[in-house]
Structures are given as C-alpha cells and as structure tokens.
Amino acid sequence: METGGESLLRSRSRALNNLSIFPDLDGGSSPERHPHGNDDNRVTSNGKIEVEHVISKKLQLKRKAEGLKSDLMRQFESQVHDFMDSLIEESASLESTPLPAAFSPPQSDKERSKLGHVQPPQGHGKHFVTRRSLLDELFEVNHIRTIYHMFIALLILFILSTFVVDFLDEGRLVLDFDLLVYAFGQFPLVVCTWLCMFLSVLLVPYTLFHLWSQSQSGSHGQQRLYTWLFGSAFLLYQGLCLGFLPTYVVVTNSLPPASCFIVIIEQVRLMMKAHSFVRENVPRVLAWQKDKTSNGPVVPQVSQYLYFLFAPTLIYRDKYPRNPVTRWGYVASKLLQVLGCLFYTYYIFVRLCIPQFRSISLQLFNLRAMVLCVFNSILPGVLVLLLGFFAFLHCWLNAFAEMLRFADRMFYKDWWNSTSYANYYRTWNVVVHDWLYYYVYKDFLLISQKRFRPAAMFFVFTVSAVVHEYILAVSFGFFYPVLFCLFMCFGMMFNFIFHDRRKGPIWNILMWTSLFLGQGVIMCLYSQEWYARRYCPLKESSFLDLLKPRSWSCQRDLMAGPDKIKWDY
C-alpha cells in the first residue's frame, strides 16, 4: 500500500511528463522521452521541482510572447495605414456625390453634370482631398513651436551682430540692404517679362486645344491632319515662345541672380502647367471621339484654366476641393513669413557667406582649401535649404492656396523623417514629384508598355537634374554642373543604397549627414565660381572657356594684385 508521500511524488512526475509534450516549454523535446531519462525534468529527493528550470522556461515564454506582440503590432499598424490610404482614395473618388456647401460654392445643374471630371478614375491620377499642411498641424504642438521660436531668435542675433559690426566699422548704423537691392535689380523688367509669359500661356495653349477639339468631329484624315498641325504648333510655342524668349531676355539684359531666378522659375512652372492642361484634356476628347456620347467634346471653361494657372498644383483638374472662406489674416501672416525668410537669407549671406568666399577667392585652389570651404559652407547651406523650403513650399504656396480657397495643402510630407533617399525624393516637394510621376514616369511606362522601369526612373532623374541645372546656370550666368553631377551620380546611387527597406534612426542620421555635405559642396563650389567669374574676366573667351570652371585657375592671377580688386557682390 502506497504512502501519501509516494503518491504525491508519482502524480507530480506524471505532470512533468505531460508538460514535456509542449515544445515551448521543453525546448522541442519528443513526447516519447521518459521523464526519468531526461535531464530537463529533474525531481529532487524531497519531491520539489527544480525552480531554476521553471523560471528559465517562463522567461523563454515571455520573450517569445513579446516578439509575437511586436510582430502583430507592426502588421496591425501596416494594415491600418493601408486601410486609411484606401479610405481616403475611395472617399475622393466618390464622383456621384457633389461637394457639400461648406467646402464649395453652390453649383448649377450644368456644373453638377460635369462633377465627374473633378477626380480621375480610381488609380488613374492624383486625387485631391481637403487636408492641411503638415507644419500647420505641427505648430499647434508647443514643443515644435519652440523650434520655430529658436530660428527667430537666431535671426535676431544675426541682425544684432550685423548692426554691431557696422557700427564699429562705420560709426553708424547701416540700413541700406545693398545686397537685396542688387539681387532684385531691374525688377520692372521682371514684371513685364512675367506678364507676357502669363498672358501667352493663358491664350495660346487654351486656344490651340479648343480649335483642335472642334476639329475632331470631321473625317479621320482631317482629324490626323489637325492633330499634327496643332500638336506641332503647341510644341513650337513651348520650345520657342515660352522656352527661348524669356531666357533670351534674361541673358541679354544681364539680370541679377534673384531676378533671373524669378523669371526662370516662372518659365518652368508655366511650361509644366501648359503640358498638364493638354495632357489631361486630350484623352477626354479622344474618348468622346470614340464613343460620341454627346454633341461635342468636353472642353474646360476659361475660368477653370485660369484658376489652374494660379492654383498651387501642377496637375490639372476641372475642379478642386475648396474651403468656404478665405482667412486673410492667415494670408498676411504667411506673406510676412516669406518676407522674414528673405531677410534671414540676406543676413546669412552677409554674415556667413560673403566674408568667407571673398577671402577664399584670394587663395590658391588646392585640396585643403576645398575641404575647408566645404565644411565651412555646411551651416549656411543647410540654413538656406531650410529657409527655402519653409518660405516657398510652406508659406508661399499656403498663402496662394488660402487666397484661392484651395483645400488640398499637401505640398510636402514629413521628409525630415526619411530613412531613404527614395522617400526623401517623394516627400520633399510633392507638387513637382506628382508632375514627374504622372507625366514622365508613368507616361514613359505607358509608351514602353510597362517595361524598362529602371530606364523610366533614370529618365525621371535626368529630366529633374537637367531642369535644376538649367535654372542655376541661367540664374548665375555660368555653366558649372555641380548639381547635375550630384543628382545623376550620388542621387542615383543613394536612391538604391538608402532604399525603402532601410529603417531605423541610423539611416535617418546618414540621410541628414549626406544632405548636409551635399549642401556644403553646392554652396562652396558655386560661390567660388561666382567670385572667380567676377574677378577673373576673360578678354577673349572661346566656347570651351565658357564651359571650363574659372575657379580652378583664377586664384593665381588674383594673388599678384589683390589690392586692385573692386569688391562687389
């Protein structure tokens, strides 16, 4: 007859044998193993289970549970993001539901019948929805607002240091802002040039498209003839009237950098808008030509095209989501912030750039001077980059969006959180990215029948690099393809090295480090070449001399007589 102790010992031994069938607790051991032959199931002589073994198994279970929890949370977060994106797209594509009166003015029956053209079919183009700019939302958080206050404090210090230095050097306060006066010189000519460009873009593309759409009701031979005729006229207008003439005005009149930049930026913007208008409306006319569902093709009204020319987007739609009212106080605050960024940039150049590059221009061009120049240029380069982003992509575009009651304010995304250059290119400037994606990348794939995707990406990089370098070359008055090389070499390389699968803080740090270095290289090399062109003019220049960087050989001539240099900007 068994004693009570022996019965208790046998029951606990059976319980341990049953636990061994769970691989999580027994390290994957086979259930056929005898408990007494397994070292993992040790029982002491007094009937107690080994405490260390049980604790280790519990810790192992806890670690596995935590890993499973993190995996489930990542999957859940990914599914939530996908669901929200699809929900936004589906809500934007509800073409049968008119916009409520709170977001748009009352519509007539004729306008309501054309509401189907507000958004493209699902998956065939950009969808515009009502949303605020990201910085407007972030500035409601006091911690983020403090960073904005820090930049204002830095501006105040720049102003005070400039006043103190001018007072010590001149014995008085100097408030002439001669650098701004020089940079924005011949401004009346800039206004006249812009007015001519705008009126031509308003009249010529719309008239050509309207005449071509009316000609599509004839025979097939006439349709092809008119298509070639009006298509050639549009390309000739884009290349000659809008492409060549503004550049000719800028070059022949030797406009200063800021004035050149305004004209060339507006030239590129209007060319992109004209292309978008034609690209979005031609398929509608061709669809009508195939189906003939109405008396004539759907041609946008002049007011719709005029609104698009001022709207802060490069993708044409007949209608956009609109806000009910214009907040003129908001408009005034954004325009004042643009003006503040302009003066901020002025003080950066006066205090950090001009003194440095004047002295560098008197040194021999060597590796040491180059390295020091790049690292000394990182701070002003990054400040100018951040000010340009804030002034244009946030303040300027939001000011025009508010005046036009344009409700889709996603002009950029959180590019500062990017861990890959692929994401940085997509989120830095959403306005230009959308145009490149839909009219360069997707059209390239459409023509190639969705083949050669790497070639399409390479073509997008090439177009972007060429346009950026063209803007800088005309604005500065010389050809020095630093930005083009950075785009095509390092930009393409980093796009594959820092790809979307790179996650974690270290990749964001590497992205910012490379971005800082790139801004230092751009600021240093272009500034050196600017001063070299001013202080080492060629008496008889050939075409090869115009392409050769002047900064590579200018310093040796300057060292002979630096006292003869007349310093200017």
Side-chain angles (χ1 to χ4, degrees), residues 42-107:
R42 299 197 264 298
V43 182
T44 60
S45 58
N46 59 357
K48 294 182 179 181
I49 301 175
E50 188 176 351
V51 178
E52 292 81 2
H53 174 69
V54 176
I55 293 176
S56 65
K57 293 301 179 183
K58 288 184 177 180
L59 293 176
Q60 183 180 1
L61 271 177
K62 183 178 180 181
R63 287 194 297 268
K64 290 186 177 182
E66 290 176 349
L68 180 61
K69 177 183 177 182
S70 62
D71 292 339
L72 289 175
M73 291 303 296
R74 282 195 297 268
Q75 294 179 6
F76 176 75
E77 183 180 2
S78 176
Q79 292 179 0
V80 168
H81 284 311
D82 294 340
F83 172 74
M84 294 302 297
D85 291 340
S86 62
L87 185 63
I88 291 175
E89 292 182 359
E90 289 177 4
S91 64
S93 61
L94 294 177
E95 300 175 353
S96 59
T97 304
L99 296 174
F103 294 94
S104 65
Q107 299 171 344

Side-chain angles (χ1 to χ4, degrees), residues 159-172 351:
I159 296 174
L160 289 178
S161 65
T162 304
F163 284 172
V164 171
V165 171
D166 289 340
F167 183 79
L168 293 177
D169 292 342
E170 304 291 337
R172 61 184 179 86
R351 302 306 306 159

Side-chain angles (χ1 to χ4, degrees), residues 251-262:
V251 173
T252 55
N253 290 275
S254 300
L255 293 182
S259 298
C260 287
F261 191 77
I262 293 173

Side-chain angles (χ1 to χ4, degrees), residues 141-386:
V141 181
N142 290 332
H143 304 289
I144 304 299
R145 187 84 180 173
T146 301
I147 301 177
Y148 173 72
H149 296 161
M150 293 166 60
F151 275 89
I152 296 178
L154 186 59
L155 172 60
I156 295 174
L157 291 179
F158 274 130
I159 296 174
L160 289 178
S161 65
T162 304
F163 284 172
V164 171
V165 171
D166 289 340
F167 183 79
L168 293 177
D169 292 342
E170 304 291 337
R172 61 184 179 86
L173 294 179
V174 181
L175 300 174
D176 51 2
F177 300 106
D178 48 352
L179 178 59
L180 288 177
V181 175
Y182 162 75
F184 289 92
Q186 305 185 51
F187 201 74
L189 179 61
V190 173
V191 175
C192 293
T193 305
W194 177 86
L195 189 60
C196 293
M197 286 193 299
F198 179 79
L199 291 177
S200 68
V201 172
L202 177 62
L203 298 176
V204 176
Y206 184 86
T207 303
L208 290 176
F209 174 76
H210 188 272
L211 294 176
W212 171 78
S213 63
Q214 299 301 319
S215 67
Q216 296 305 297
S217 58
S219 62
H220 182 69
Q222 290 179 340
Q223 292 174 4
R224 296 189 59 182
L225 176 62
Y226 283 118
T227 298
W228 280 101
L229 178 62
F230 289 111
S232 301
F234 176 73
L235 293 177
L236 184 64
Y237 164 75
Q238 286 275 75
L240 180 61
C241 297
L242 198 55
F244 174 75
L245 291 181
T247 307
Y248 178 79
V249 172
V250 165
V251 173
T252 55
N253 290 275
S254 300
L255 293 182
S259 298
C260 287
F261 191 77
I262 293 173
V263 173
I264 300 303
I265 283 290
E266 282 298 289
Q267 175 197 39
V268 174
R269 183 184 73 90
L270 293 174
M271 291 180 70
M272 296 168 74
K273 282 184 174 284
H275 176 85
S276 176
F277 174 76
V278 174
R279 175 63 181 83
E280 293 291 340
N281 286 286
V282 164
R284 294 162 57 179
V285 176
L286 295 179
W288 169 84
Q289 176 187 342
K290 181 179 179 181
D291 299 334
K292 297 292 182 67
T293 56
S294 59
N295 296 328
V298 178
V299 178
Q301 301 176 2
V302 179
S303 59
Q304 295 171 329
Y305 180 52
L306 179 62
Y307 181 89
F308 167 64
L309 291 180
F310 284 103
T313 178
L314 297 174
I315 307 296
Y316 176 81
R317 295 289 180 266
D318 287 344
K319 294 184 182 300
Y320 300 93
R322 304 280 293 276
N323 288 331
V325 295
T326 298
R327 298 171 296 170
W328 292 106
Y330 180 86
V331 175
S333 66
K334 294 305 170 187
L335 294 179
L336 287 176
Q337 287 174 340
V338 172
L339 187 62
C341 290
L342 181 63
F343 280 96
Y344 210 140
T345 306
Y346 164 79
Y347 284 109
I348 289 175
F349 274 93
V350 168
R351 302 306 306 159
L352 300 180
C353 296
I354 294 177
Q356 175 191 178
F357 292 113
R358 277 180 175 175
S359 61
I360 290 176
S361 299
L362 297 177
Q363 301 175 8
L364 293 176
F365 184 83
N366 52 39
L367 181 60
R368 182 180 182 278
M370 172 71 181
V371 172
L372 290 177
C373 176
V374 169
F375 281 96
N376 290 333
S377 303
I378 288 178
L379 177 59
V382 172
L383 288 177
V384 170
L385 174 71
L386 297 178

